[in-house]
């Protein structure tokens, strides 16, 4: 289907919630025109970065410190790596971290006071977590997408997979009605 689309003159993009550094090699090697990553916060076209939204340093530091203080397991995702909390305890997250490490992805740990260059987050919380305090502290900065009972994807307000598509079609002067997207998750 991808080959036929290319033959018919269509542009192809992978649009993902993952940051670019977390995309598997076999996906990066597909014959596509670009990648819309991090829920629209980072865009690549023909191998060149054409857009990147960075969360400002002060907000990043507040997120790191409040993640620790409210006992949420916040996985911080940036274009240079993925940062897991030092006190990681969710079995699924431990499995993801170990798998990423074994595959050579840039994986790091963080603790309170650390500077982490990230663009979006995936957050797990527990009965002992103070998720309400965390959400209230950043309600004017982040969108909270409830993905499961104790799992929230957090992205900067005003960004999504759809805004990523809008940025690239505006850049390439393609009408919205001439686009199609196919997804496999609730945020698609």
């Amino acid at each position: 289907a991808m080959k036929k689309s290319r033959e018919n003159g269509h542009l192809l993009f992978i649009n993902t919630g993952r940051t670019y550094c977390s995309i598997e090699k076999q996906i990066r090697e597909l014959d596509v025109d670009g990648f819309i990553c991090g829920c629209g916060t980072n865009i690549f076209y023909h191998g060149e970065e054409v857009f990147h939204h960075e969360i400002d340093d002060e907000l990043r530091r507040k997120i790191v410190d409040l993640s620790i203080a409210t006992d949420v397991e916040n996985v911080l995702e940036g274009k240079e790596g993925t940062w897991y909390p030092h006190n990681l305890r969710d079995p699924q997250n431990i499995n993801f971290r170990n798998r990423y490490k074994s595959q050579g992805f840039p994986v790091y740990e963080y603790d309170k006071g650390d500077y982490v260059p990230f663009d979006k987050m995936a957050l797990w919380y527990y009965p002992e977590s103070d998720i309400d305090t965390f959400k209230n502290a950043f309600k004017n900065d982040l969108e909270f997408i409830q993905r499961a009972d104790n799992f929230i994807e957090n992205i900067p307000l005003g960004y999504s997979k759809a805004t990523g598509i809008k940025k690239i079609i505006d850049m390439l002067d393609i009408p919205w009605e001439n686009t199609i997207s196919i997804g496999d998750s609730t945020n698609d």
Side-chain angles (χ1 to χ4, degrees):
M2 290 174 65
K3 184 177 183 226
K4 188 72 169 169
S5 293
R6 303 288 277 162
E7 289 169 1
N8 287 330
H10 297 286
L11 300 176
L12 298 176
F13 288 82
I14 303 288
N15 189 353
T16 179
R18 292 182 183 201
T19 54
Y20 188 75
C21 71
S22 297
I23 299 173
E24 287 89 351
K25 182 180 176 191
Q26 65 269 28
I27 302 294
R28 286 190 201 186
E29 292 175 348
L30 290 172
D31 183 22
V32 296
D33 294 283
F35 294 85
I36 301 168
C37 301
C39 291
T41 60
N42 201 202
I43 301 173
F44 297 84
Y45 179 59
H46 289 200
E48 299 293 321
E49 183 180 67
V50 295
F51 177 77
H52 182 227
H53 170 76
E54 294 187 39
I55 298 173
D56 72 64
D57 288 347
E58 182 180 340
L59 181 56
R60 286 178 182 162
R61 290 179 201 283
K62 286 180 184 175
I63 290 169
V64 166
D65 289 349
L66 201 56
S67 294
I68 303 299
T70 58
D71 199 24
V72 299
E73 197 163 284
N74 214 345
V75 178
L76 309 173
E77 304 168 70
K79 69 182 201 174
E80 290 135 20
T82 302
W83 285 261
Y84 289 85
H86 178 69
N87 63 341
L88 192 62
R89 61 188 184 263
D90 181 84
Q92 183 179 358
N93 280 335
I94 292 168
N95 183 40
F96 283 146
R97 181 197 60 200
N98 293 343
R99 189 183 82 191
Y100 283 153
K101 277 184 173 182
S102 74
Q103 293 177 357
F105 287 106
V107 174
Y108 311 99
E109 289 187 357
Y110 73 90
D111 211 334
K112 186 176 181 177
D114 290 346
Y115 171 75
V116 180
F118 64 94
D119 303 326
K120 65 174 289 275
M121 301 150 277
L123 181 150
W124 284 258
Y125 57 97
Y126 307 95
E128 63 275 12
S129 301
D130 189 354
I131 188 63
D132 291 333
T133 295
F134 186 88
K135 287 170 76 173
N136 284 333
F138 302 110
K139 66 184 176 192
N140 296 321
D141 303 299
L142 302 174
E143 181 174 345
F144 298 92
I145 305 167
Q146 192 78 41
R147 301 286 305 273
D149 288 343
N150 72 328
F151 170 44
I152 300 172
E153 189 167 14
N154 303 307
I155 54 178
L157 275 181
Y159 290 87
S160 67
K161 291 179 180 179
T163 64
I165 293 170
K166 179 95 171 85
K167 279 225 178 282
I168 200 74
I169 67 172
D170 287 350
M171 184 184 97
L172 299 174
D173 197 28
I174 298 170
W176 186 259
E177 59 272 10
N178 289 356
T179 67
I180 186 169
S181 62
I182 301 165
D184 66 352
S185 189
T186 56
N187 68 348
D188 294 330

